[in-house]
Amino acid sequence: DAGVTQSPTHLIKTRGQQVTLRCSPKSGHDTVSWYQQALGQGPQFIFQYYEEEERQRGNFPDRFSGHQFPNYSSELNVNALLLGDSALYLCASSLGIGTDSNQPQHFGDGTRLSIL
Amino acid sequence: AQSVTQLDSHVSVSEGTPVLLRCNYSSSYSPSLFWYVQHPNKGLQLLLKYTSAATLVKGINGFEAEFKKSETSFHLTKPSAHMSDAAEYFCVVNTYRNDMRFGAGTRLTVKP
């Protein structure tokens, strides 16, 4: 049973560039959430996708955007990269949204993004 | 709004001694609470979850947590620490929108 997989594992970019990170959810899951974890901090919620639409969004600028495909996989895009975007980006998957807040999310190992 | 506060940024114990990682929560309704562990350069692994079925929750690797509504706490414990327990631990509350709010984390060091 494949868990949540993310690619690439590491990425180095320069300021102003654009980046795309990818995530495949755990088998049987249909909801994908993205988190940013800066060094020494807890993960911060970016947004959540369900049925190919952004359903919830945290306090992140429009430079952060995403997409979900019919097979439930997802992409996170960040435009006009800043030094402060350097972080570990985590993808999490779950089944359904909203009413069932009891179920935990399953996390991938993340993509380490470094901005020079 | 739902949030959690982890009271210790760093906890150090000796191998074989008990572990206590403290977490207080804030929620306007009955919360769903979780503990996750993160080993270096790894993603997050679920240790246990509280979903109102029982106040004492048992998780993996010998960890357990007790939900205390009167104290708004959800502390994580383990009777005997193992070297492999050294990691970062996060207390998490799940909002009604199913987006998770993480604490700042507690780094657990286990000395031989």
Side-chain angles (χ1 to χ4, degrees), chain A residues 15-36:
Chain A
R15 282 179 296 174
Q17 285 189 311
Q18 179 264 343
V19 69
T20 298
L21 311 182
R22 295 177 175 81
C23 172
S24 292
K26 179 181 169 66
S27 178
H29 286 180
D30 57 7
T31 303
V32 173
S33 301
W34 286 92
Y35 294 81
Q36 180 194 67

Side-chain angles (χ1 to χ4, degrees), chain B residues 44-111:
Chain B
L44 295 142
Q45 181 184 18
L46 177 69
L47 281 177
L48 50 81
K49 65 177 181 179
Y50 166 75
T51 58
S52 77
T55 56
L56 183 62
V57 183
K58 294 188 183 298
I60 62 171
N61 301 335
F63 285 94
E64 62 181 38
E66 186 172 9
F67 175 76
K68 292 187 176 180
K69 186 175 180 179
S70 61
E71 300 176 11
T72 62
S73 69
F74 189 57
H75 301 334
L76 182 71
T77 60
K78 182 174 181 177
S80 176
H82 192 274
M83 295 297 292
S84 61
D85 294 329
E88 189 87 15
Y89 291 79
F90 293 97
C91 182
V92 185
V93 62
N94 205 15
T95 74
Y96 72 95
R97 304 185 315 169
N98 209 33
D99 66 274
M100 305 187 97
R101 306 286 171 85
F102 284 75
T106 298
R107 182 160 58 92
L108 176 65
T109 300
V110 182
K111 298 174 291 186

Side-chain angles (χ1 to χ4, degrees), chain B residues 11-66:
Chain B
V11 170
S12 181
V13 301
S14 297
E15 190 175 20
T17 65
V19 175
L20 170 63
L21 306 183
R22 299 182 296 164
C23 172
N24 287 349
Y25 71 89
S26 172
S27 179
S28 54
Y29 58 90
S30 183
S32 292
L33 295 162
F34 308 84
W35 276 97
Y36 280 84
V37 61
Q38 186 176 36
H39 289 92
N41 299 313
K42 286 291 188 180
L44 295 142
Q45 181 184 18
L46 177 69
L47 281 177
L48 50 81
K49 65 177 181 179
Y50 166 75
T51 58
S52 77
T55 56
L56 183 62
V57 183
K58 294 188 183 298
I60 62 171
N61 301 335
F63 285 94
E64 62 181 38
E66 186 172 9

Side-chain angles (χ1 to χ4, degrees), chain A:
Chain A
D1 180 18
V4 179
T5 58
Q6 293 186 242
S7 63
T9 55
H10 294 86
L11 204 51
I12 299 175
K13 292 285 188 179
T14 58
R15 282 179 296 174
Q17 285 189 311
Q18 179 264 343
V19 69
T20 298
L21 311 182
R22 295 177 175 81
C23 172
S24 292
K26 179 181 169 66
S27 178
H29 286 180
D30 57 7
T31 303
V32 173
S33 301
W34 286 92
Y35 294 81
Q36 180 194 67
Q37 185 179 19
L39 198 62
Q41 298 182 23
Q44 299 291 317
F45 174 72
I46 303 175
F47 43 52
Q48 181 181 77
Y49 276 83
Y50 173 72
E51 292 186 338
E52 302 179 48
E53 290 187 11
E54 183 182 295
R55 299 290 179 158
Q56 315 289 352
R57 189 178 185 93
N59 188 27
F60 279 80
D62 292 345
R63 297 187 297 110
F64 290 76
S65 63
H67 190 78
Q68 185 179 34
F69 300 93
N71 67 352
Y72 308 122
S73 66
S74 176
E75 290 181 348
L76 164 65
N77 301 292
V78 187
N79 294 324
L81 287 166
L82 304 174
L83 292 177
D85 295 332
S86 294
L88 180 68
Y89 288 84
L90 294 164
C91 172
S93 72
S94 54
L95 182 62
I97 60 169
T99 56
D100 186 6
S101 66
N102 292 338
Q103 60 166 311
Q105 296 181 5
H106 295 253
F107 286 82
D109 285 345
T111 294
R112 174 74 62 186
L113 176 62
S114 299
I115 310 302
L116 303 180

